[in-house]
Amino acid sequence: MSTPQALLNAPEGGVLTFGETMVALRGSGPLKLGGSMNVSIAGAESNVAIGLARLGHEVRWAGAVGDDEAGQLVLRTLRAEGVDVSGASLDPEAPTGLLLFEPRLPELTRVHYYRAGSAGSRLTPEAVECAFAARPPHVLHLTGITPALGPSAREACEQALQLAEEHGTFICLDINFRSRLWSTREAAEVMRAWAPRVDALIASDDELPLAVPPGSEGQENAMAETLLKLGVGEVVVKLGAAGARVHPGSEGGECGPLHRPARAVRAVDPVGAGDAFGAGYLSALLDGEPAEARLDRAITTGAFAVTTPGDWEGAPTRAELPLLTAQPGTVVR
């Protein structure tokens, strides 16, 4: 088990993440009425990868895409954002997944997945082994989305956890529960088994019960304390409009829990805010920042994300981080 401070002395291997990244089509209204659609990409892990790359960190994405034009769009976009995709897999027998966003009401967007049998769901443990063999990572970033995609993707996650432990890699897990992919019972079975092996666990307040043992569900502080006693390095809780809180472990040398309020911004699109938050938190961890500064950067990057349509398009660069503290109406020249 690594501590945030240990990251400063760990061998430089960058951040490794993997999962399914899909082609994303965003409509301007109800899909049944037709109309034009904006074409981009979307995926929780690649969103984090882009967020970290924009903040100046070395990051690799080792997911799988189909050997098709959609897959080339995914890889081209990630390369353009500075993400290393040399470990990505091309699957000639399965397509790249598809995601449709349907704005239905001013504050309601419906999401339609077309990912059953996709290349991302067929990611193999061998692909993860190759990524570690090429260069063991400094940090392994996982989400609860990838193991929900299918048996092969879940085995790839298990292999990544095992290799990370063998190499002393810092492990970050964002629960990122998706009810369209698996049930709370299935998710809890996996998350509860993984949690004690994790150095930093990130979850929204309603996801936290999925990581604690049965019967331990309850107040946030009690659940966080349970996880810390089980071996989790630190617990980071996203509270939406109420900000976020970190419960540091005793080995991290921090006092806690610590809370930071959300930043007041004009929200345009909440999609991708949690991934941007995770990228900001990991970025500050990699910089050796204390818990207070880690939360502050995570909340800042999350705030940037909601001000721009898209999964990752609003992620800030390091030079842009101070912009949210500028006076309203300021013109930056």
Side-chain angles (χ1 to χ4, degrees):
M1 184 70 64
S2 301
T3 64
Q5 188 62 31
L7 282 175
L8 296 176
N9 302 317
E12 289 295 335
V15 178
L16 173 66
T17 189
F18 60 90
E20 180 169 34
T21 297
M22 299 161 284
V23 167
L25 303 180
R26 294 177 179 273
S28 56
L31 289 175
K32 63 186 177 184
L33 300 181
S36 61
M37 305 193 81
N38 180 59
V39 183
S40 184
I41 68 169
E45 299 81 10
S46 56
N47 292 345
V48 171
I50 290 172
L52 284 166
R54 287 192 179 180
L55 292 169
H57 300 284
E58 178 189 348
V59 57
R60 292 179 286 157
W61 181 83
V65 295
D67 190 6
D68 49 31
E69 291 298 300
Q72 290 303 314
L73 173 62
V74 169
L75 298 180
R76 180 178 182 273
T77 303
L78 291 176
R79 280 195 297 264
E81 287 294 330
V83 177
D84 183 345
V85 295
S86 58
S89 306
L90 288 177
D91 189 335
E93 299 179 359
T96 302
L98 176 65
L99 180 62
L100 300 181
F101 290 95
E102 179 189 21
R104 197 62 189 89
L105 295 170
E107 296 186 357
L108 174 66
T109 297
R110 293 194 292 204
V111 177
H112 307 275
Y113 292 115
Y114 297 87
R115 62 200 308 176
S118 67
S121 69
R122 291 155 49 101
L123 181 70
T124 65
E126 289 74 22
V128 173
E129 290 174 4
C130 288
F132 269 83
R135 192 178 184 193
H138 198 168
V139 174
L140 173 68
H141 168 264
L142 294 174
T143 77
I145 297 174
T146 307
L149 298 177
S152 182
R154 190 175 305 181
E155 289 173 9
C157 292
E158 294 283 359
Q159 182 69 358
L161 278 169
Q162 180 178 329
L163 290 169
E165 290 173 328
E166 292 174 2
H167 288 280
T169 296
F170 188 95
I171 302 170
C172 175
L173 170 65
D174 188 336
I175 290 182
N176 227 331
F177 175 66
R178 295 289 188 272
S179 61
R180 299 277 292 275
L181 295 178
W182 58 354
S183 67
T184 55
R185 179 189 59 79
E186 293 171 312
E189 181 179 349
V190 174
M191 295 298 102
R192 287 167 178 167
W194 287 8
R197 308 165 69 181
V198 168
D199 298 296
L201 181 117
I202 301 176
S204 59
D205 52 352
D206 61 339
E207 292 171 336
L208 206 54
L210 297 175
V212 298
S216 301
E217 303 89 345
Q219 296 297 316
E220 176 196 319
N221 285 349
M223 289 189 289
E225 185 64 27
T226 296
L227 289 167
L228 293 174
K229 289 179 179 177
L230 287 172
V232 177
E234 62 182 30
V235 179
V236 185
V237 185
K238 297 176 288 187
L239 304 170
R245 191 161 25 241
V246 60
H247 301 261
S250 58
E251 293 183 4
E254 308 278 7
C255 296
L258 294 172
H259 173 263
R260 284 293 173 270
R263 291 193 177 275
V265 294
R266 182 179 299 173
V268 173
D269 184 356
V271 176
D275 303 328
F277 177 97
Y281 197 84
L282 275 178
S283 170
L285 267 173
L286 289 163
D287 287 348
E289 298 287 355
E292 180 179 350
R294 299 197 295 267
L295 271 186
D296 186 66
R297 188 176 301 179
I299 287 170
T300 298
T301 51
F304 266 99
V306 303
T307 63
T308 306
D311 272 50
W312 51 269
E313 286 83 348
T317 64
R318 190 173 289 261
E320 291 172 329
L321 288 175
L323 292 180
L324 288 184
T325 61
Q327 291 297 319
T330 299
V331 177
V332 180
R333 300 184 188 276

